[in-house]
């Protein structure tokens, strides 16, 4: 780590002298209040305070010493009680409750009982047998001698088993110690700059702004203590969601390869356990419990352009012209970073840089752009500033135990922090968006909400600061408020909630679009997420994919990374490779650091511009497909970007595969992640796969050597798929999906079902039936092909032509039924059918 002096110089260089001094003052003040309120009921003063202050209290997460000695375990079982469908087991020193949540999911809570524990009435006959809770698809068995829990599958096979009893330590932690099956793999845990398979690593749950990060840095902005385990060669899977929002650490086999230890800084511990056996089923159940993404507006799937920052207005207008006129690159979102504000005061505009924002936004709308504004949580402590005054008067800001408002330095200088865990504050904050929404702002980008405060690495709100509770996060909700230790991890989630619910109130007919940097279990209900301040280098590009995959396995599916990387200077090649991968990610936005040159699709000239444009155009053609994947994700929680193990979990070859992915149901994408590379090996799992570019047929499982010149990354389509595509367009809604083209890829065994979902893309009318769901059932048979096409829902896409392209067709058909015209294209090896409609399509050769 850097010396304090170096830190100081770095601070002055990047944010200036005044903010750096504020940051230093904050560091000193934090330490002072942490010492003062170590016991909030008896604040220290005078000499004892000075003494405590000088004894350094390190701030999380960079100081997380190993746990102290164990002081308690449950001891022997004393009594068992049935409680509405569940079980309460009283042990000598602890109480365990197990509550069913679903046929394959339970909630487990451990509390220490009164120190003696012996005040419990001694049971008539102490229970001898292991208490057991049997659900339809999951059994929990509790060891009577020490409370160790074993989870069993319906066939009696062990799914998970505690290696040692739950334990309490002298320094106030709870330990859960589980056996790690020999060939287990771990996934999930939110955002991790780690391999896809998390086994062998140690991960801390404490949302942190790392300033910039490299592979291996931990923790980052968004933690989700949801651990997915895959074992028995992929035949068995389970999930464990820790509910505690306090800081925790998972050692997934670094200290001991045979156990994984979940260590929680809390007095009691609560977790939910999910049984598979498939990963897909666990994700459905997990997101049923913790929430799913809403259906974002269709334009959210467009291409977005950002930098820190585009200003003044003339620069923004030039950017718009560059897209529409100069370079003809499709784009939907233009994002304005912190320089649009007046001295970084949230909900204001710098009127010199942006004299007439409503007019600017109207003009951008006329060109088909949407405008997204960054909003930080810190409210400048300035009595002349309306938001601060109002927040102060109404008691909206976080306070110390003595009632003083906490002030910490961020971009605007010294700032107050709304307590988003309080529903009153969320309502107020949501309403603060009114003026911007009325000006036409389309979406909001919540940044710095770990929350980050300038200062030492990981600086945040000091631990003693009070909060109303944990707000909308699932978990152990304190009834009479809590300090920052319990509220820290859910701060970002509740800010995103305030924003999304505010937008929904302000514009009830339009779907909110919010992007958040921080979050926690369930943040997907409110916002999309991006992986923030990485670097413009190849290792960071490579790291992005496992990060996005594990986010998806934690319920957070609408994600992406800064295309080209954030800090540093991207090369044209790096940007293009990054873009080629991101075109298959839900959130597709280029962004860069304040001190980096522009990172736009044309910034490096040719040949990059042409390749970038082609790939962005491809994304716009794929919108019907991507939107269907988004809709499916909103319904089932299945991510859009998926590791291969999600669909092929019994294939050990994919358990740690992290340089290729599935995008939706039909596409397999193998990005190029290294400099100067023009070919790569791709693993194709079982089944038939069609090369997206050449229509060459491959049969998996096995490896193929694929061409990957600059203008292409390997993409394959799964046999049996019907891949819907639309026409090229410069932005979402420029024209209808006319013609709509259904790309049919034959060769699957049996019948395969594909979906296409559409609606107006913008309003909430779909909730009242204004959607159209197409269901395609494709079956191949010797000498022919049948496609059954049914629709459901009341949305009318308007008159349009639907074409069908059957891929991999060597010769012209003998007969075609269900289309107006057919044409065989021998060179392209496909059959083009024009003017199809719902019903039955039959082709015979
Ligand atoms: O302290 O708003 O991750 O995307 O450009 C940095 C300026 C604050 C961090 C975000 C980044 C954004 C930057 N922000």
């Amino acid at each position: 780590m850097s010396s304090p002096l170096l830190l100081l110089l770095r601070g002055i260089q990047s944010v200036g002298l005044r903010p750096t001094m504020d940051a230093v003052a904050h560091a000193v003040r934090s330490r002072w209040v942490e010492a003062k309120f170590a016991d909030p009921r008896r604040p220290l003063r005078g000499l004892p305070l000075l003494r405590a202050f000088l004894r350094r209290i390190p701030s999380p997460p960079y100081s997380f010493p190993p746990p102290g000695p164990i002081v308690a375990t449950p001891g022997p079982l004393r009594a068992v009680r049935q409680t509405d469908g569940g079980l309460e087991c009283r042990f000598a020193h602890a109480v365990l409750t197990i509550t069913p949540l679903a046929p394959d999911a339970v909630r487990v809570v451990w509390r220490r009982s009164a120190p003696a524990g012996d005040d419990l009435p001694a049971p008539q006959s102490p229970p001898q047998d292991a208490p057991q809770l049997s659900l339809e698809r999951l059994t929990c068995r509790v060891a009577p001698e020490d409370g160790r829990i074993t989870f069993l599958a319906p066939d009696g096979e062990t799914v998970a088993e505690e290696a040692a009893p739950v334990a309490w330590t002298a320094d106030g932690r709870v330990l859960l110690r589980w056996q790690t099956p020999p060939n287990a793999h771990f996934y999930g845990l939110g955002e991790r700059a780690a391999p896809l398979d998390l086994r062998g690593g140690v991960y801390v749950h404490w949302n942190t702004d790392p300033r910039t990060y490299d592979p291996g840095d931990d923790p980052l902005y968004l933690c989700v203590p949801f651990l997915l385990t895959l074992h028995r060669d992929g035949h068995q899977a389970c999930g464990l969601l820790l509910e505690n929002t306090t800081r925790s650490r998972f050692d997934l086999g670094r200290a001991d390869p045979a156990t994984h230890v979940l260590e929680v800084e809390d007095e009691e511990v609560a977790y939910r356990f999910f049984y598979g056996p498939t990963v897909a089923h666990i994700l459905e159940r997990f997101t049923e419990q913790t929430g799913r993404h809403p259906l974002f507006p269709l334009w959210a799937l467009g291409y977005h352009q950002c930098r820190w920052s585009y200003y003044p207005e003339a620069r923004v207008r030039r950017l718009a012209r560059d897209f529409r006129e100069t370079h003809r690159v499709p784009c939907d979102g233009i994002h304005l970073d912190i320089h649009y504000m007046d001295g970084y005061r949230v909900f204001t505009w710098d009127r010199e840089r942006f004299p007439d924002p409503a007019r600017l936004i109207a003009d951008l709308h006329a060109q088909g752009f949407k405008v997204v504004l960054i909003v930080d949580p810190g409210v400048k402590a300035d009595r002349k500033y309306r938001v601060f005054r109002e927040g102060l008067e109404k008691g909206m800001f976080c306070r110390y135990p003595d009632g003083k408002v906490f002030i910490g330095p961020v971009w605007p200088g010294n700032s107050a922090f709304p307590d988003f865990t309080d529903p009153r504050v969320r309502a107020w904050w949501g309403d603060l968006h009114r003026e911007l929404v009325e000006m036409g702002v389309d979406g909001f980008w919540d940044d710095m909400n770990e929350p980050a405060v300038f200062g030492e690495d990981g600086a945040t709100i000091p631990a003693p600061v009070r909060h109303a509770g944990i707000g909308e996060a699932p978990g152990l909700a304190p009834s009479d408020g809590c300090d920052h230790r319990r509220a820290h991890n859910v701060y970002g989630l509740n800010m995103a909630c305030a924003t999304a619910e505010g937008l929904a109130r302000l514009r009830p007919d339009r779907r909110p679009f919010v992007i958040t940097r921080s979050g926690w279990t369930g943040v997907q209900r409110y916002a999309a997420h991006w992986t923030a301040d990485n670097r413009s280098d190849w290792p960071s590009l490579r790291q992005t994919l496992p990060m996005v995959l594990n986010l998806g396995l934690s319920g957070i599916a609408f994600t992406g990374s800064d295309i080209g990387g954030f800090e540093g200077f991207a090369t044209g090649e790096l940007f293009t490779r990054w873009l080629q991968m991101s075109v298959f990610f839900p959130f597709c936005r280029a962004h860069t650091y304040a001190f980096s040159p522009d990172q736009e699709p044309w910034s490096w000239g040719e040949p990059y511009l042409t390749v970038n444009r082609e790939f962005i155009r491809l994304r716009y053609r794929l919108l019907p497909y991507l939107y269907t994947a988004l809709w499916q994700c909103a319904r089932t929680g299945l991510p859009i970007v998926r590791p291969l193990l999600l669909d092929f979990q019994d294939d050990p070859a994919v358990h740690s595969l992290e340089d290729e992915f599935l995008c939706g149901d039909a596409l397999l994408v193998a990005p190029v992640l290294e400099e100067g590379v023009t070919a790569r090996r791709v693993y194709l799992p079982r089944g038939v796969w069609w090369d997206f570019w050449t229509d060459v047929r491959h049969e998996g499982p096995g490896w193929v050597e694929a061409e990957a010149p600059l203008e292409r990354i390997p993409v394959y389509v799964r046999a049996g798929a019907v891949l819907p595509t639309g026409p090229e367009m410069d932005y979402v809604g420029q024209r209808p999906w006319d013609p709509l083209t259904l790309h049919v890829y034959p060769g699957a065994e049996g019948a395969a079902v594909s979906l296409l979902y559409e609606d107006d893309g913008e309003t909430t009318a779909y909730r009242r039936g204004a959607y159209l769901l197409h269901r395609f059932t494709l079956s191949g048979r010797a000498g022919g092909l049948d496609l059954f096409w049914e629709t459901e829902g009341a949305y009318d896409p308007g008159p349009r032509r639907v074409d069908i392209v059957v891929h991999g067709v060597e010769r012209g058909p003998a007969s075609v039924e269900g289309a107006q015209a057919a044409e065989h294209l021998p060179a392209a090896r496909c059959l083009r059918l024009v003017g199809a409609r719902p019903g039955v399509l039959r082709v015979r050769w």
Side-chain angles (χ1 to χ4, degrees), residues 308 337-338 374 411 445 447-448 517 530 532-533 566 591:
W308 176 7
D337 205 329
I338 50 178
I374 198 168
W411 287 108
W445 167 23
D447 191 23
M448 302 288 280
R517 190 169 76 174
W530 91 110
D533 302 356
F566 182 71
H591 180 40

Side-chain angles (χ1 to χ4, degrees), residues 320-606:
R321 267 200 315 278
D322 281 344
F323 274 106
R324 294 290 185 256
E325 291 160 29
T326 318
H327 303 293
R328 303 211 56 92
V329 175
C331 177
D332 266 84
I334 292 183
H335 294 227
L336 299 185
D337 205 329
I338 50 178
H339 288 94
Y340 76 85
M341 292 180 266
D342 168 20
Y344 304 122
R345 288 170 186 83
V346 284
F347 308 109
T348 68
W349 289 88
D350 180 321
R351 292 287 174 162
E352 262 168 44
R353 291 170 182 165
F354 293 93
D356 190 352
R359 170 98 188 268
L360 170 68
I361 295 168
D363 291 346
L364 291 172
H365 284 170
Q367 290 172 278
F369 291 104
K370 300 285 190 283
V371 177
V372 177
L373 294 190
I374 198 168
V375 175
D376 289 350
V379 173
K380 187 175 177 72
D382 166 4
R383 292 201 176 257
K384 290 194 283 275
Y385 168 38
R386 181 180 63 92
V387 178
F388 179 68
R389 256 195 345 256
E390 207 179 288
L392 213 54
E393 278 157 22
K394 296 183 175 166
M396 298 298 184
F397 299 125
C398 299
R399 294 156 188 274
Y400 291 110
D402 62 5
K404 282 210 190 85
V405 170
F406 161 70
I407 300 288
V410 267
W411 287 108
N414 281 332
S415 303
F417 288 75
D419 180 12
F420 295 111
T421 67
D422 182 341
R424 221 170 40 88
V425 176
R426 288 200 296 277
W428 172 67
W429 188 262
D431 289 344
L432 286 173
H433 292 73
R434 179 186 301 277
E435 207 181 309
L436 297 176
V437 164
E438 282 170 358
M439 276 181 189
V441 176
D442 300 277
F444 290 89
W445 167 23
D446 289 352
D447 191 23
M448 302 288 280
N449 51 358
E450 295 69 30
V453 175
F454 288 174
E456 307 163 286
D457 281 346
T460 187
I461 295 181
V465 169
R466 303 294 302 168
H467 292 268
I470 61 167
E472 292 300 297
L476 300 156
S479 51
D480 54 352
C482 59
D483 69 19
H484 193 65
R485 270 174 277 246
R486 194 173 299 281
H488 175 82
N489 280 327
V490 302
Y491 191 84
L493 174 142
N494 283 294
M495 180 188 185
C497 168
T499 310
E501 291 186 346
L503 296 184
R505 272 197 315 278
L506 294 168
R507 284 186 318 209
D509 58 324
R510 276 178 69 185
R511 307 176 204 165
F513 182 59
V514 180
I515 314 155
T516 183
R517 190 169 76 174
S518 186
W520 186 253
T521 314
V523 71
Q524 64 270 14
R525 283 176 286 164
Y526 311 112
H529 169 75
W530 91 110
T531 60
D533 302 356
N534 54 13
R535 291 182 202 276
S536 295
D537 59 21
W538 293 91
S540 300
L541 168 60
R542 173 170 269 276
Q543 179 62 78
T544 295
L545 182 50
M547 281 177 93
V548 164
L549 292 173
N550 271 324
L551 277 162
L553 294 176
S554 311
I556 299 162
F558 204 102
T559 60
S561 63
D562 292 346
I563 296 170
F566 182 71
E567 204 189 90
F569 298 3
T571 61
E573 184 189 356
L574 179 68
F575 183 89
T576 294
R577 292 311 198 184
W578 209 308
L579 174 72
Q580 287 171 324
M581 173 175 77
S582 304
V583 152
F584 299 94
F585 282 2
F587 188 46
C588 182
R589 183 187 76 167
H591 180 40
T592 192
Y593 189 48
F595 305 112
S596 307
D598 290 338
Q599 251 169 224
E600 289 133 13
W602 50 86
S603 298
W604 297 268
E606 295 295 355

